[in-house]
Amino acid sequence: MRLFDEFSFSCPLKINCGSRALENLPAELSAFNANAPLILASRDQVGKKRIGSVVDAFKTSGLTLGIYDRLPDRPQPDLMPVLARMYRDGACDSILALGHGAVVDTAKCLNLMVSEGFHESVDEAGEEASDPGPLRPLMLVATAAGNGDEATGYANDGIRRLCSPRLIPTVVFIDPAMMVDRNDRDVVDGAMIALVHAVEAFLDDSAGPMCRAYAHTAIGLIMQHLPAALRKTDRKKNLSAVVNGQVAAGCAYFSSSPGICHVLATGLKEGTDLPLGFLMAMLLPHVVAEAGYNQPEQVGELLYPMVGADIFAVTAADLKTPRTIALFWEFFDALNAELSEKIPSAIVDSDMTVEQIERIRSHLASGSSDDHVARILEGARRGVTAMDN
């Protein structure tokens, strides 16, 4: 493994995982001298039963709870002052987010508003302008259908995308009892986003070896446990493993740069109703094949988290990259066998026109990257990787 001359990696997130993880909520809050959390959730997302399970974890703790469980499915800027007033009027001193997506975004943004020392530290472009200083404890009870963004320092306030390491949750709790039986489409969508972020972080030398270790873990957990979760085999346990992978992917993603698969899929999303994660999955084998020409040894090492040390060791060096690409196709086939809405194998299977694809290519490609983008999109259009030609 090559050690890049300069890199930065930070992961202040603590993970508390297991069948009784929720029981540790009061102790983790008390460790930060927090005694009055405001619980944020969405009944539509997690249901009353699981909100009740979180409340039950505090029954004998003596802690005072505030609850707002009607968060919308998108961050609402107008709601933030209401939540801030609820937090202050209730003398709350911490935040507990239950769920994923907009719920966690709202919790992160609220934490900025109510923490002392916050002075509009993020600029209008969503870039970090200055350190907002220490924030109040933010606990996250994770559920299925997240995509790893919950574990990052990114947050969407409904207007812009904010960025600061201070936004990373303090502790995440992953308990099988909280694995909501979401529809498979949402679960796979989130898992594919996390998987692509992990793969691209793994291939990003400048991110450093610690980032790569988190990405390695994420790839292995998601690819091993997601098909079993879709087959309803010990579903809650396998979903917990997938969520662990998503959290690890989020940690890696926040310490690396968004890769070309992320950028291309985001551009393609403007022309289709397909989930973003499905688009990322469709592009991933082509992105990996393209990378294989420039860094074959690095791409070949992707095989390790996919198959384990024994098979990796006996696979010839020149076969590792093509075997990695083949395993991605096999993985997507296994997922499609359980899905009613399939991950497309090629852009021609989506509802995008050639004109839309060309417009996206022209917009995203520039200079030396033009050939790379063109080859990736052409391969994805036909469903054939460059190595198959």
Side-chain angles (χ1 to χ4, degrees):
M1 179 184 296
R2 183 169 73 89
L3 182 65
F4 206 73
D5 292 339
E6 296 181 5
F7 66 89
S8 176
F9 180 80
S10 175
C11 184
L13 176 68
K14 177 179 180 180
I15 299 173
N16 201 321
C17 177
S19 59
R20 303 176 71 177
L22 292 182
E23 295 181 8
N24 296 298
L25 275 165
E28 294 288 359
L29 283 165
S30 295
F32 292 92
N33 295 316
N35 301 297
L38 173 62
I39 299 174
L40 297 180
S42 166
R43 288 188 189 180
D44 293 338
Q45 188 181 97
V46 298
K48 293 175 63 176
K49 178 180 178 181
R50 288 172 178 83
I51 296 172
S53 296
V54 172
V55 173
D56 287 345
F58 292 95
K59 271 189 174 179
T60 61
S61 67
L63 273 62
T64 302
L65 305 181
I67 303 175
Y68 188 89
D69 61 0
R70 296 183 181 276
L71 288 179
D73 58 3
R74 293 181 182 275
Q76 300 291 338
D78 293 344
L79 182 60
M80 298 307 298
V82 177
L83 294 175
R85 186 165 58 251
M86 179 183 299
Y87 181 96
R88 296 187 176 108
D89 290 349
C92 297
D93 55 16
S94 52
I95 300 172
L96 196 164
L98 167 56
H100 58 268
V103 170
V104 183
D105 281 334
T106 300
K108 291 176 179 178
C109 295
L110 177 63
N111 205 16
L112 278 175
M113 292 187 68
V114 300
S115 296
E116 295 180 6
F118 172 54
H119 299 291
E120 193 61 33
S121 64
V122 186
D123 68 16
E124 292 184 0
E127 299 294 334
E128 184 181 356
S130 63
D131 185 351
L135 305 183
R136 299 304 305 162
L138 170 59
M139 306 289 168
L140 167 62
V141 177
T143 56
N147 60 28
D149 212 46
E150 296 81 7
T152 71
Y154 296 121
N156 181 356
D157 67 357
I159 300 174
R160 53 189 176 170
R161 186 164 169 84
L162 311 182
C163 173
S164 171
R166 301 285 190 180
L167 292 172
I168 298 173
T170 311
V171 183
V172 58
F173 298 83
I174 304 174
D175 192 317
M178 304 308 294
M179 294 301 111
V180 183
D181 196 15
R182 305 282 298 181
N183 68 69
D184 289 346
R185 179 183 187 269
D186 291 346
V187 172
V188 173
D189 179 30
M192 292 303 94
I193 293 173
L195 176 63
V196 167
H197 285 166
V199 169
E200 297 203 299
F202 189 93
L203 296 176
D204 183 1
D205 255 351
S206 64
M210 274 62 77
C211 175
R212 203 167 185 230
Y214 275 79
H216 180 288
T217 299
I219 294 166
L221 285 172
I222 293 171
M223 294 191 69
Q224 178 181 345
H225 292 277
L226 183 58
L230 296 185
R231 292 193 295 268
K232 308 298 190 289
T233 303
D234 206 352
R235 184 168 172 90
K236 289 187 176 182
K237 181 178 179 179
N238 280 300
L239 283 177
S240 294
V242 172
V243 172
N244 270 281
Q246 291 168 344
V247 169
C251 295
Y253 174 58
F254 192 64
S255 294
S256 61
S257 301
I260 192 169
C261 192
H262 171 100
V263 174
L264 284 175
T266 302
L268 290 174
K269 185 70 181 76
E270 298 176 4
T272 178
D273 291 329
L274 280 171
L276 179 62
F278 284 38
L279 291 171
M280 286 186 171
M282 176 189 67
L283 292 169
L284 183 59
H286 308 282
V287 171
V288 172
E290 182 67 22
Y293 285 108
N294 303 311
Q295 42 183 340
E297 182 178 349
Q298 184 95 328
V299 172
E301 289 176 0
L302 272 171
L303 187 65
Y304 190 170
M306 298 169 76
V307 300
D310 292 342
I311 296 178
F312 178 80
V314 299
T315 303
D318 61 338
L319 296 179
K320 285 177 179 175
T321 294
R323 182 57 183 148
T324 296
I325 296 169
L327 282 175
F328 278 126
W329 288 121
E330 291 174 18
F331 174 63
F332 300 145
D333 285 343
L335 300 183
N336 280 339
E338 308 298 330
L339 292 170
S340 55
E341 181 177 357
K342 313 296 184 184
I343 297 171
S345 60
I347 296 178
V348 294
D349 297 330
S350 70
D351 53 1
M352 283 178 284
T353 66
V354 174
E355 289 75 17
Q356 286 175 319
I357 298 168
E358 180 58 28
R359 185 167 61 250
I360 292 164
R361 187 200 67 78
S362 300
H363 176 69
L364 296 176
S366 62
S368 61
S369 67
D370 189 27
D371 289 343
H372 297 297
V373 170
R375 283 193 294 268
I376 291 167
L377 285 177
E378 177 58 20
R381 186 184 68 80
R382 296 185 296 126
V384 179
T385 63
M387 290 188 173
D388 295 326
N389 290 326

